[in-house]
């Protein structure tokens, strides 16, 4: 774990964010280990992709999965992750561009991880939106696809900015936050069991009323960390 965080191939911009993002603690909470097959769903520039790559090692694999709508709507957003995939230091990584109903890989997975993205899909934010579908429909579809893609006993990690209880798709679109109760309800409807939640990224000073990009709160929002498991014994 410590070697993955200390990896010299990681960009300085990533390592500067470590005190706020707490990657070592989060990966330990998720239980990612050598040999695992992991999806980093909507990976951005690959902050977690790089860390996962070093943890799972040569016997494991990391799939950076980007939704079709994002890849088609803003193709330049993929430049950083494409560069990562092409880097020999991360040869156990693959980029997959897929619709929300196929966000897995072509082999059974141990972990699917998404950080600060669920609200974008749920709120149908810009290029995360799909014509003819509501954001809530797409996150529900995404959860079902995650459930199908995981091995029995596999883990689904969702990290996001906390919204006020009872908030809706409009709040997700405007404030870039989501009520964790929504995520829990949708994941459970897909078949997942909520195994644990962590307060590693909590911040009681955040009143959940500001957009997450507000200078006074950016990088220090109150965030939830949810760990779901696909039951090992299926009826």
């Amino acid at each position: 774990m410590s070697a993955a965080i200390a990896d010299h191939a990681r960009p300085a911009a990533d390592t500067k964010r470590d005190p706020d993002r707490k990657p070592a603690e989060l990966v330990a909470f998720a239980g990612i280990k050598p040999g695992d097959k992991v999806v980093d769903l909507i990976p951005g520039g690959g902050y977690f992709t790089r860390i996962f790559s070093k943890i799972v090692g040569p016997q494991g694999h990391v799939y950076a999965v980007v939704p079709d709508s994002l890849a088609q709507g803003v193709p330049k957003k993929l430049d950083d992750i494409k560069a990562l995939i092409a880097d020999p230091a991360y040869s156990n990584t693959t980029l997959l561009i897929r619709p929300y109903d196929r966000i897995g890989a072509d082999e059974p997975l141990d972990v699917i991880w998404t950080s600060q993205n669920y609200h974008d899909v749920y709120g149908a934010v810009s290029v995360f939106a799909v014509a003819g579908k509501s954001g809530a429909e797409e996150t529900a579809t995404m959860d079902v696809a995650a459930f199908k893609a995981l091995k029995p006993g596999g883990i689904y990690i969702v990290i996001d900015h906390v919204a006020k209880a009872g908030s809706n798709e409009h709040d997700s679109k405007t404030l870039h936050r989501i009520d964790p109760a929504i995520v829990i309800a949708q994941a459970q409807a897909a078949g997942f069991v909520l195994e644990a939640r962590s307060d590693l990224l909590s911040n009681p000073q955040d009143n959940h009323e500001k957009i997450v990009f507000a200078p006074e709160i950016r990088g220090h929002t109150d965030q939830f960390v949810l760990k779901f498991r696909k039951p090992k014994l299926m009826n």
Side-chain angles (χ1 to χ4, degrees):
M1 176 78 70
S2 58
I5 305 301
D7 171 25
H8 292 301
R10 296 181 65 212
D14 281 9
T15 59
K16 285 174 65 175
R17 299 166 71 193
D18 289 347
D20 292 328
R21 302 201 75 172
K22 298 180 170 57
E25 296 92 333
L26 288 174
V27 171
F29 176 74
I32 298 172
K33 61 190 184 300
D36 276 354
K37 308 299 192 298
V38 178
V39 155
D40 189 4
L41 177 58
I42 314 178
Y47 175 92
F48 283 112
T49 313
R50 290 183 175 87
I51 294 170
F52 297 159
S53 170
K54 296 303 180 181
I55 290 173
V56 304
Q59 302 305 312
H61 204 86
V62 181
Y63 298 92
V65 177
V66 176
D68 280 342
S69 59
L70 176 59
Q72 294 168 9
V74 193
K76 283 194 68 64
K77 286 278 189 182
L78 274 65
D79 287 353
D80 288 343
I81 197 67
K82 284 181 176 178
L84 185 160
I85 300 298
D87 187 339
Y90 304 104
S91 59
N92 63 344
T93 60
T94 300
L95 173 63
L96 299 176
I97 299 172
R98 298 196 160 176
Y100 290 116
D101 63 355
R102 292 197 302 112
I103 54 86
D106 295 327
E107 64 175 327
L109 299 165
D110 296 286
V111 179
I112 295 178
W113 171 295
T114 191
S115 176
Q116 300 179 357
N117 300 305
Y118 204 101
H119 75 270
D120 284 316
V121 183
Y122 183 81
V125 177
S126 184
V127 292
F128 293 92
V130 175
K133 296 283 187 72
S134 72
E137 289 173 323
E138 289 299 353
T139 45
T141 295
M142 187 172 79
D143 290 346
V144 169
F147 189 87
K148 181 179 179 181
L150 286 163
K151 298 175 182 177
I155 294 297
Y156 184 32
I157 297 288
V158 181
I159 302 168
D160 217 325
H161 310 280
V162 178
K164 286 188 173 182
S167 64
N168 55 28
E169 291 170 80
H170 178 265
D171 299 294
S172 291
K173 189 166 190 172
T174 57
L175 299 181
H176 293 262
R177 299 173 177 270
I178 188 167
D179 180 354
I182 292 170
V183 181
I184 293 170
Q186 289 198 316
Q188 289 176 333
F192 285 105
V193 173
L194 177 61
E195 181 168 282
R197 54 197 306 170
S198 170
D199 61 359
L200 274 167
L201 301 179
S202 65
N203 178 8
Q205 302 306 311
D206 177 4
N207 63 11
H208 309 152
E209 293 180 350
K210 295 186 175 78
I211 188 171
V212 300
F213 306 117
E216 63 271 26
I217 200 67
R218 186 168 191 169
H220 305 282
T221 56
D222 186 24
Q223 296 176 53
F224 60 83
V225 183
L226 302 174
K227 181 178 183 177
F228 300 97
R229 188 179 293 276
K230 178 176 179 175
K232 289 185 178 181
L233 298 176
M234 305 298 295
N235 294 328

